[in-house]
């Protein structure tokens, strides 16, 4: 929707900027294709179907998801600080599903900083290898989450948003657990929130 509205604005200018309009349309097409892939994966997950898993480079999955979200991050006036420290880490999983988890966590982080006006809105994305796991940390500089709410965040239909469905984090947990991993959250009220997930490393070589 945002890209479609941007396209209209570029076209409706006194001198239409067709190059920017084309870029907006490219984003519409790209993200529409992703929506289709995501829905297919979530349907498979809900049916407990066997999803095609491949050996993937963990940092590449994170990088691609971050690239897809750059436009949305900019719209929220958020500065990204990425530190990818697992360049050789291989995991076995479904790329689209894992990217959907990352995208959902990035969206949540940006929304958590929407009302921050007294300091920089910073999104910190950090990957690392800890013991035998590839670990991703996504942290915001928002207002944090109340301690009594933290245990319920991943429950289906639990939401702190007026128009939320309460399914995003529940689906994230299902996807990570489907991959044999774990996901958790740390928060300091008033100082931001940190979501992390970890997936076991894979010892197999990358499939060509």
């Amino acid at each position: 929707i945002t890209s479609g509205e941007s396209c209209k604005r570029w076209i409706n200018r006194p001198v239409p900027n067709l190059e920017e309009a084309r870029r907006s349309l490219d984003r519409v097409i790209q993200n529409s294709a992703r929506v289709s892939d995501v829905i297919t994966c979530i349907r498979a997950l809900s049916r407990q179907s066997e999803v095609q898993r491949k050996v993937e480079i963990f940092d590449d999955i994170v990088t691609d998801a971050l690239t897809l979200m750059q436009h949305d991050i900019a719209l929220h006036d958020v500065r990204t600080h990425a530190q990818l420290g697992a360049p050789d880490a291989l995991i076995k999983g479904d790329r689209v599903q894992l990217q959907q988890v990352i995208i959902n966590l990035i969206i949540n982080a940006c929304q958590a900083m929407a009302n921050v006006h007294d300091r920089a809105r910073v999104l910190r994305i950090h990957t690392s290898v800890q013991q035998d796991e590839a670990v991703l940390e996504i942290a915001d500089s928002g207002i944090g989450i109340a301690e009594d709410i933290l245990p319920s965040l991943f429950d289906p239909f639990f939401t702190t948003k007026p128009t939320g469905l309460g399914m995003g984090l529940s689906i994230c947990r299902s996807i990570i657990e489907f991959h044999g991993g774990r996901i958790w959250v740390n928060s300091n009220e008033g100082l931001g929130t940190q979501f992390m997930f970890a997936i076991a490393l894979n010892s197999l070589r990358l499939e060509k």
Side-chain angles (χ1 to χ4, degrees), residues 13 18 43 49 52 73 137 167 172 178 181-182 191:
R13 296 182 69 175
L18 297 183
R43 281 177 173 165
S49 301
Q52 184 66 39
I73 291 170
E137 172 194 340
M167 290 303 295
C172 286
F178 180 77
R182 53 200 176 91
L191 298 175

Side-chain angles (χ1 to χ4, degrees), residues 25-43 56 60-70 72 94-107 171-172 175:
L25 288 174
D26 285 342
R27 286 195 296 269
V28 170
I29 294 168
Q30 182 185 42
N31 285 292
S32 296
R34 275 196 52 77
V35 168
S36 178
D37 290 341
V38 168
I39 290 172
T40 298
C41 286
I42 291 176
R43 281 177 173 165
E56 302 273 5
D60 284 358
I61 295 176
V62 177
T63 299
D64 287 352
L66 186 56
T67 299
L68 286 169
M69 292 302 297
Q70 282 303 318
D72 297 79
D94 182 276
R95 192 182 190 91
V96 173
Q97 284 192 350
L98 293 175
Q99 284 182 347
Q100 185 59 23
V101 172
I102 298 167
I103 287 170
N104 191 76
L105 295 178
I106 290 175
I107 289 172
I171 291 174
C172 286
I175 290 173

Side-chain angles (χ1 to χ4, degrees), residues 29-158:
I29 294 168
Q30 182 185 42
N31 285 292
S32 296
R34 275 196 52 77
V35 168
S36 178
D37 290 341
V38 168
I39 290 172
T40 298
C41 286
I42 291 176
R43 281 177 173 165
L45 189 68
S46 66
R47 293 194 302 263
Q48 297 184 335
S49 301
E50 183 61 30
V51 177
Q52 184 66 39
R53 301 194 214 184
K54 297 193 302 182
V55 177
E56 302 273 5
I57 300 173
F58 187 64
D59 275 3
D60 284 358
I61 295 176
V62 177
T63 299
D64 287 352
L66 186 56
T67 299
L68 286 169
M69 292 302 297
Q70 282 303 318
H71 182 65
D72 297 79
I73 291 170
L75 285 177
H76 283 87
D77 194 26
V78 169
R79 186 171 74 240
T80 305
H81 181 265
Q83 184 179 358
L84 303 183
D88 300 319
L90 299 179
I91 57 97
K92 190 170 186 179
D94 182 276
R95 192 182 190 91
V96 173
Q97 284 192 350
L98 293 175
Q99 284 182 347
Q100 185 59 23
V101 172
I102 298 167
I103 287 170
N104 191 76
L105 295 178
I106 290 175
I107 289 172
N108 286 351
C110 289
Q111 291 177 346
M113 294 184 281
N115 294 322
V116 171
H117 305 291
D118 61 341
R119 59 185 181 275
R121 300 174 183 177
V122 180
L123 173 68
R124 186 160 59 95
I125 297 177
H126 178 239
T127 63
S128 61
V129 173
Q130 299 180 23
Q131 297 181 341
D132 295 323
E133 295 179 314
V135 180
L136 171 66
E137 172 194 340
I138 296 180
D140 63 62
S141 59
I143 60 175
I145 300 171
E147 188 175 350
D148 60 327
I149 290 177
L150 289 178
S152 303
L153 279 183
F154 295 100
D155 293 347
F157 306 112
F158 178 86

Side-chain angles (χ1 to χ4, degrees), residues 58 133-136 176 179-184 196-200:
F58 187 64
E133 295 179 314
V135 180
L136 171 66
I176 296 301
H179 284 79
R182 53 200 176 91
I183 185 169
W184 68 98
M196 302 181 72
F197 71 75
I199 295 179

